[in-house]
Amino acid sequence: MPHLRPGLGFTTGRRERRPLPRIPVPIARAIVDCAVYVDGHRQPGRIGYSEALEQVRSTGEGFVWLGLHSPDDEQMTGVAEVFGLHELVVEDAVHAHQRPKLEIYDNTQFLVLRTVKYVEHESIEQASEVVETGEIMIFTGPDFVITVRHGDHTHLSGLRRRMEARPERLALGPTAVMHAIADLVVDSYLAVSERMETDLLAIESSVFGNKKRWLDIEPVYLLKREVLELRRAVTPLTNPLSRLTSNNPLVPKEIRRYLRDVADHLTTVVDRVVEYDEVLSSLLDAAAAKVGIQQNSDMRKISAWVAIGAIPTMVAGLYGMNFDILPGMHDAQGFGLVCLFLVVVCGALWGALRRNHWL
């Protein structure tokens, strides 16, 4: 029964459900590593990114390298406020599935890279996925570099350790980190494209060397889809690398030289992917033609047997009309003669069709 609450009017007695307040996740959970590098050497101790940036700007030496993994809106907004990042790139950094691109806001560069990983499988016929993709986003400024990773295979801890072992490279500044990440990603493109070539050769052998009546065309479509996925990750990166290797005032001349080498490797990968795509398109055409030929062959066999079966059907139809004028109707040997006639005619037709490769 409804009841009256003072000053509020009638209510049904049901308790209103209000959405639970969202509990913010601490930024520390999204931070993989944060360090200050001076003259290429990592400064000792653990430090927050706000204190690290304040230390660098107060001393005027070194830069901050902050690594994040899958931050949410609130976490990324807090980082953007400290480092002065544009709100548009903050939205891109939170929501993955971006195309490779390079955006420049004043003295901050925002580079998006698509990462790829080859998924191990025993054979292409049993595989459900060949390439797994992820993303790495890089913010570089005069005194900081921020990496944002999306995906489980986009680890950069090994890269950070290798760079810390070569302080002369880290001494070149934040863009040296950007080059190292781009080089790592493009090298993974080369490795994945080489592994995919093995699958391509296996499919090619299956299409042209298959002795089965019916060809399993699903692996061809699978690899075609995965090659297109790799192509979407690789091809759009050409323009950002071209902009980085041109007269970009935000990239030192020494780093631009290293980036040209990365661009050359990327060109090799693009050529491979385009070649794979064309070969798979040709294999699809060949497989479709092979299936069509097999269907035509089956239709010819069906038509041949229908023609052979039409003769006894026609004779049986005539004798089933109860006419007395048909030969052999009142002869004791008539049935045997008719059967012999049918065997001879059908056998002759079968031989003729056999000679013409219809059977």
Side-chain angles (χ1 to χ4, degrees), residues 50-63:
S50 301
E51 294 79 5
L53 185 63
E54 182 180 356
Q55 174 184 332
V56 168
R57 291 182 174 175
S58 62
T59 60
E61 296 181 347
F63 67 92

Side-chain angles (χ1 to χ4, degrees), residues 36-53:
V36 175
Y37 295 88
V38 178
D39 295 330
H41 296 279
R42 178 170 182 155
Q43 301 304 294
R46 298 179 61 87
I47 188 172
Y49 62 88
S50 301
E51 294 79 5
L53 185 63

